Amino acid sequence: MKEVPMALSIAGTDPTGGAGIHADLKTFQECDTYGMAVVTSVVSQNTEGVRDVWHVPVELIKSQLNAVFEDTRPQAVKTGMLATPEIINSVADRIEAEKVPLVVDPVMVATSGDSLMEEETEKLMRTRLLPLATIITPNKDEAEKLIGQSISSLTEAKEAARHLVEELGAGSALVKGGHFSGDATDILYAGNEFYYFSAPRTETNHTHGTGCTLSAAIAAKLARGYNIADAVDESKQFITEAISQPLGIGKGNGPVNHFASRLTRDELFVERRMYHGK
Ligand SMILES: Nc1ncnc2c1ncn2[C@@H]1O[C@H](COP(=O)(O)OP(=O)(O)OP(=O)(O)O)[C@@H](O)[C@H]1O
Ligand SMILES: Cc1ncc(CO)c(N)n1
């Protein structure tokens, strides 16, 4: 029987739609996957930064997970912002029980530099969630925190990817190069092999939600049955297009363009019309 590919995001919110579950749901849709979302924290943020954060009570997170898994079966799950030890434990318990392919985006700070995770949570991210990951997708800072070593070259990034898999137990690891200089090169270690995904760096500050979007695309591709290397390859193309054609939204670090692989800018932008009705 043919099934509709379904992907679930377990993450925080962004009312301006650039990061968190909002970015994930847009990405799932653009990647031809039915999107679902469990909210872990309500974050009052915009392109300029984080204003307030309220964590959803753990009982309500468990209830949302029950609502999803007692009714449907996502073929892939991605996690984003999981800010407290209790939240990590409740999500890890569920993933362990369901044995569903898992993309872990170990969100620790927002693009704006604001912290999104309590410190003791980092340890649980490493010891409980990472071993359940089909793929973990840290940026430079997150990879450094997870392995406890600094990373300043591609060779060290490669070593970090191997460390995440062989020492810490992730299924595979993608160490992202967004925060290095030069080309945006991401290194995947999967099945004892290294893969390089490189794209020219776009000179832009519109990179709010790049990590969320990339990891959601990988989850969507896994839900559609791709192997890990192909899922990352297509997702890298998706994020590269989304970054290279920014929308100019917001006063700060703006969102990426989730339409970019489908619509040209001429098709997307419309004449603004004034609404005069009541
Ligand atoms: N300026 C850029 N030009 C091209 N690609 C980029 C640029 N910045 C980031 N990328 C790519 O975007 C993807 C996300 O990487 P990045 O390191 O920005 O993630 P992140 O820091 O987790 O994102 P977030 O800002 O959402 O936390 C990677 O594939 C990376 O190579
Ligand atoms: C909710 C949320 N998750 C992740 C990020 C990282 O971009 C963010 N800014 N907000």
Side-chain angles (χ1 to χ4, degrees):
M1 197 183 74
K2 285 194 173 175
E3 283 179 287
V4 176
M6 298 169 94
L8 170 68
S9 165
I10 306 175
T13 67
D14 171 6
T16 56
I21 57 167
H22 306 71
D24 295 345
L25 288 172
K26 291 174 191 185
T27 306
F28 290 159
Q29 184 84 7
E30 290 294 326
C31 295
D32 303 329
T33 304
Y34 182 88
M36 300 186 282
V38 164
V39 180
T40 55
S41 295
V42 177
V43 186
S44 171
Q45 62 174 317
N46 61 21
T47 64
E48 294 185 302
V50 173
R51 298 178 175 202
D52 278 307
V53 181
W54 276 47
H55 303 317
V56 174
V58 167
E59 287 315 310
L60 190 51
I61 294 175
K62 287 184 186 165
S63 171
Q64 292 179 75
L65 290 167
N66 287 342
V68 171
F69 284 100
E70 287 170 14
D71 195 27
T72 71
R73 172 87 198 160
Q75 287 89 354
V77 173
K78 80 145 263 193
T79 56
M81 178 181 176
L82 305 173
T84 69
E86 297 74 28
I87 295 177
I88 296 234
N89 277 327
S90 64
V91 170
D93 288 345
R94 192 77 207 204
I95 299 294
E96 229 161 28
E98 301 294 340
K99 301 193 180 1
V100 60
L102 175 67
V103 181
V104 174
D105 184 16
V107 173
M108 293 173 181
V109 288
T111 312
S112 56
D114 298 290
S115 176
L116 294 173
M117 185 182 261
E118 292 174 6
E119 259 176 39
E120 61 267 35
T121 317
E122 281 174 31
K123 186 169 161 248
L124 275 179
M125 171 69 72
R126 178 167 50 244
T127 55
R128 271 228 73 191
L129 204 62
L130 184 149
L132 299 173
T134 307
I135 178 167
I136 186 161
T137 62
N139 64 22
K140 176 182 182 292
D141 296 351
E142 292 156 351
E144 287 178 339
K145 285 194 170 136
L146 287 167
I147 67 169
Q149 286 165 27
S150 68
I151 304 167
S152 49
S153 65
L154 275 186
T155 313
E156 284 173 1
K158 205 174 146 187
E159 232 4 85
R162 193 210 300 266
H163 186 129
L164 289 161
V165 174
E166 291 187 352
E167 313 282 324
L168 299 179
S172 64
L174 182 72
V175 176
K176 296 174 294 188
H179 300 261
F180 290 91
S181 52
D183 283 350
T185 303
D186 306 343
I187 296 176
L188 172 68
Y189 183 66
N192 295 320
E193 307 238 21
F194 288 104
Y195 302 80
Y196 293 78
F197 302 93
S198 206
R201 178 170 301 275
T202 299
E203 286 313 322
T204 176
N205 66 340
H206 290 256
T207 54
H208 180 58
T210 47
C212 304
T213 300
L214 177 69
S215 56
I218 296 171
K221 308 283 175 192
L222 292 181
R224 291 194 64 85
Y226 286 57
N227 68 39
I228 290 168
D230 289 345
V232 174
D233 188 23
E234 286 205 3
S235 301
K236 176 71 175 172
Q237 290 173 39
F238 184 82
I239 191 66
T240 301
E241 283 180 84
I243 292 171
S244 67
Q245 300 170 56
L247 299 168
I249 290 173
K251 296 178 184 154
N253 188 238
V256 301
N257 179 354
H258 291 96
F259 302 103
S261 56
R262 187 166 56 84
L263 292 179
T264 64
R265 287 170 68 92
D266 279 352
E267 285 164 330
L268 186 58
F269 284 78
V270 293
E271 286 290 320
R272 285 196 194 280
R273 293 193 191 92
M274 295 296 285
Y275 177 66
H276 294 293
K278 280 192 178 169

